[in-house]
Amino acid sequence: MGASKIGRNQPCPCGSKKKYKNCCFGKADWQKLSAKPLPDVCRHLSLRGKNITFINAIAAALQLDSIKPDAEYKDIKRACSPHAVQEIYSVIPEIWPDLDDYERCLQSEAGTVTALYVGHYDPEAVLQAVTRLSLYCDKIYLVDPFANAQHVRDEYNPLIHPEEHRATVMKFSYLWMSLSPWIDAGMVYFVRPLHDFIPGMFHEVLDLQRRRFDENPLLKATLEDEAAAHMKALSATDRDAGELFLLMAPDDSLREFYRQMTIERPELKPFASEEDFIAHVQKRRDEHPYYVERLPDQRGELHQTSSGASYELAKRMCSITNSHIVTSLRTRWKEVELDRESAGIDLQGWSPFAKALNESDLKILNSVPIKAAFRLREENRLESLRLFFRKVWKSCRDPDEFSNENAVNLSAELREEVSKANEEWQKIDQQLLKWIGATGGAVVASGVFGFVPAASAAAVTGITGLIQSRMKRHAFKERYPAGFFLGLKER
């Protein structure tokens, strides 16, 4: 951070995306702060500013600025040394010094509608949730999956045994970098878990969770069913656990596995030879987002997973951010459903809709690029789309708001609304082509709103039509909020 004078209309150094005059002017002397240590600076950063600071720390530790354009992914992973692990973990308490700073940071980010996502934290699941939530939420919060090393026992501590945490660092860095455009746009924010700052809270919420499950057989059965389904779904094609387990096996074990496989199932021989199989596995190792090769004398590799936060912890964090909980976990949705009346959060009742939206099979919901989500905010159309969703939800929801049928109902209703918007847009297009024909090419070329001497009656009629068409196109966005999805390709 430079020490030059900050212009009133320049972006505020705190990272809020506001102009300096509308943010820290008269509150924080950034010219003096720029010369102070990182913890002092971070006490004045906005939540977005803290996130960008951490992204920069990850990039510096992994030497991303020195990666050549033609580099392979294995070259990036190679930079994840034990020293890089220590650099990343050591900066976390500097960015987030204490509870007062935490509350200051989060309370200043209050929005009309905000969500805290806690669920599967693999990049694909998170990106799906973010994409969908961006259609009605002002801001989306995620819980930073990186642990605070100050609260980790020595035998598992990444600062003491950094060589064992390289895969975890690659995994969570991959998630952070995948979301960096959304963070930069001010739509997505990572926050620390609240128990980082309150001694004893971690064990307190853990005890509450255990008691809740012990006292509720339905909740316990839901958890057991979900865990069993997850284990059954694991396979060698699952990048998070199944494939990783295979890739970590020594080559000698893989060779034995291949020989046994070809003996037991000779008809299943996808590789020409044993060496081809080993070469394929090595290629998958190189391409895998967070598989790392073992270092000499390394005793083991710890693979940390995360769902963000338990329900009890998420509930307390939502009370600070005024957010509703969104998850991809059936068990956590059941906790939200059973506890919603006494929880004191989600007073606007967004959680049931969020469940249906996140579980909807409408593929177009996965196709909203960040530019489209950002344009919603630039054009002040987010509230319009939010009201549209409220209307659709009210018309199609089951009396049981958390019913799985609601995802099906919502998908069908949204398809119908998008179809109606498309039909109207086609009518406007057809009228536009008709009116263009009436004006004649010369009139169109000279500019619709320019002065056209001695225009024919047909041309005048055409020009009037063009003006009407322009007005209809402008009004279309307000009349048909579902028109936002037109032109988005399903994937």
Side-chain angles (χ1 to χ4, degrees):
M1 237 176 259
S4 58
K5 186 176 181 181
I6 305 163
R8 289 168 56 86
N9 291 312
Q10 287 182 311
C12 188
C14 76
S16 66
K17 286 189 72 99
K18 297 178 183 177
K19 292 182 178 180
Y20 181 48
K21 65 182 180 183
N22 297 326
C23 192
C24 287
F25 180 75
K27 302 174 185 176
D29 190 340
W30 279 101
Q31 288 172 267
K32 289 184 179 179
L33 282 171
S34 62
K36 292 192 174 184
L38 183 61
D40 292 335
V41 174
C42 287
R43 287 186 178 279
H44 299 275
L45 289 178
S46 64
L47 184 51
R48 177 176 173 271
K50 287 178 181 286
N51 277 201
I52 291 174
T53 299
F54 190 59
I55 288 173
N56 291 338
I58 292 173
L62 298 180
Q63 305 172 42
L64 296 184
D65 59 341
S66 63
I67 297 294
K68 297 179 180 178
D70 59 345
E72 297 181 11
Y73 194 74
K74 63 182 180 181
D75 298 322
I76 299 176
K77 292 192 289 184
R78 198 171 290 124
C80 190
S81 63
H83 179 65
V85 171
Q86 290 174 320
E87 282 188 318
I88 291 172
Y89 278 99
S90 63
V91 81
I92 292 172
E94 293 186 347
I95 295 176
W96 295 95
D98 53 42
L99 181 61
D100 287 341
D101 176 69
Y102 181 82
E103 291 181 334
R104 169 199 67 82
C105 207
L106 268 61
Q107 288 169 353
S108 65
E109 297 292 341
T112 305
V113 179
T114 60
L116 174 66
Y117 174 78
V118 287
H120 293 295
Y121 261 51
D122 59 279
E124 287 186 5
V126 172
L127 193 58
Q128 173 176 307
V130 163
T131 299
R132 297 181 179 208
L133 290 170
S134 70
L135 299 176
Y136 75 94
C137 288
D138 298 301
K139 298 169 184 178
I140 303 149
Y141 300 111
L142 303 170
V143 182
D144 185 1
F146 279 101
N148 186 330
Q150 293 178 328
H151 304 148
V152 180
R153 285 159 52 181
D154 287 356
E155 58 263 45
Y156 305 116
N157 197 299
L159 296 179
I160 299 172
H161 303 288
E163 70 284 353
E164 298 178 5
H165 293 263
R166 292 177 302 125
T168 293
V169 163
M170 284 307 307
K171 179 178 182 177
F172 294 150
S173 295
Y174 186 80
L175 175 64
W176 268 84
M177 291 303 178
S178 298
L179 292 169
S180 60
W182 294 85
I183 293 169
D184 186 60
M187 288 185 272
V188 171
Y189 303 89
F190 277 102
V191 298
R192 296 298 305 169
L194 183 58
H195 60 57
D196 269 11
F197 309 99
I198 302 178
M201 176 177 278
F202 178 83
H203 294 289
E204 178 189 344
V205 298
L206 190 62
D207 289 342
L208 285 171
Q209 287 285 132
R210 286 173 177 163
R211 191 156 53 240
R212 179 180 286 114
F213 278 83
D214 288 341
E215 295 172 355
N216 194 312
L218 176 60
L219 199 56
K220 194 171 185 177
T222 303
L223 177 61
E224 290 171 352
D225 289 346
E226 186 168 28
H230 177 68
M231 293 303 296
K232 188 177 180 180
L234 293 181
S235 69
T237 58
D238 172 36
R239 293 202 116 184
D240 192 16
E243 184 184 30
L244 196 58
F245 180 77
L246 174 68
L247 300 182
M248 288 171 59
D251 284 357
D252 288 344
S253 299
L254 291 173
R255 291 178 193 279
E256 180 60 33
F257 166 77
Y258 181 80
R259 294 185 199 115
Q260 194 65 31
M261 180 182 68
T262 53
I263 292 171
E264 294 177 357
R265 301 289 300 275
E267 73 279 8
L268 296 178
K269 194 175 180 181
F271 302 97
S273 68
E274 187 178 299
E275 293 308 315
D276 284 346
F277 172 62
I278 297 298
H280 172 75
V281 171
Q282 186 58 51
K283 184 173 184 293
R284 297 297 293 171
R285 287 168 173 164
D286 292 341
E287 294 173 348
H288 195 280
Y290 37 88
Y291 169 84
V292 292
E293 298 283 354
R294 287 280 187 96
L295 297 173
D297 301 322
Q298 183 177 331
R299 67 176 188 176
E301 185 74 52
L302 296 174
H303 289 275
Q304 182 186 342
T305 60
S306 177
S307 63
S310 66
Y311 169 71
E312 190 63 37
L313 182 62
K315 185 170 68 172
R316 298 184 185 202
M317 293 172 68
C318 283
S319 67
I320 299 175
T321 58
N322 191 29
S323 302
H324 61 284
I325 293 173
V326 179
T327 182
S328 57
L329 300 171
R330 287 193 294 119
T331 306
R332 202 144 295 160
W333 275 128
K334 183 59 68 174
E335 289 181 274
V336 172
E337 179 184 356
L338 295 174
D339 191 50
R340 64 182 308 204
E341 291 185 5
S342 60
I345 58 175
D346 189 28
L347 300 180
Q348 299 181 60
W350 280 106
S351 284
F353 168 76
K355 179 178 185 289
L357 187 69
N358 201 48
E359 295 176 357
S360 167
D361 66 352
L362 190 58
K363 292 182 179 178
I364 201 169
L365 294 174
N366 299 335
S367 308
V368 181
I370 186 172
K371 288 183 180 178
F374 192 60
R375 191 169 64 246
L376 269 178
R377 289 150 178 78
E378 281 188 319
E379 296 177 357
N380 294 317
R381 292 170 56 204
L382 185 61
E383 179 63 23
S384 174
L385 197 57
R386 194 150 51 208
L387 292 173
F388 161 72
F389 279 136
R390 279 285 202 189
K391 181 180 177 182
V392 170
W393 173 242
K394 187 177 180 180
S395 70
C396 73
R397 71 188 179 199
D398 191 270
D400 176 5
E401 289 187 308
F402 283 90
S403 167
N404 293 332
E405 291 298 315
N406 279 328
V408 179
N409 297 341
L410 184 61
S411 295
E413 198 71 20
L414 288 175
R415 281 192 187 94
E416 185 176 344
E417 291 295 331
V418 172
S419 179
K420 287 179 185 177
N422 186 51
E423 287 178 12
E424 180 63 20
W425 189 254
Q426 294 298 327
K427 288 178 184 178
I428 295 174
D429 270 357
Q430 289 169 7
Q431 290 173 335
L432 178 60
L433 290 172
K434 177 181 176 182
W435 285 323
I436 287 177
T439 63
V443 175
V444 175
S446 64
V448 174
F449 300 105
F451 175 69
V452 184
S456 66
V460 170
T461 301
I463 292 170
T464 303
L466 284 170
I467 296 172
Q468 291 174 347
S469 175
R470 186 186 181 104
M471 293 173 65
K472 283 188 176 183
R473 281 175 177 259
H474 181 74
F476 175 83
K477 294 178 180 180
E478 296 299 324
R479 292 183 57 210
Y480 294 90
F484 167 79
F485 297 103
L486 299 183
L488 299 181
K489 296 180 180 179
E490 291 193 0
R491 59 178 174 85

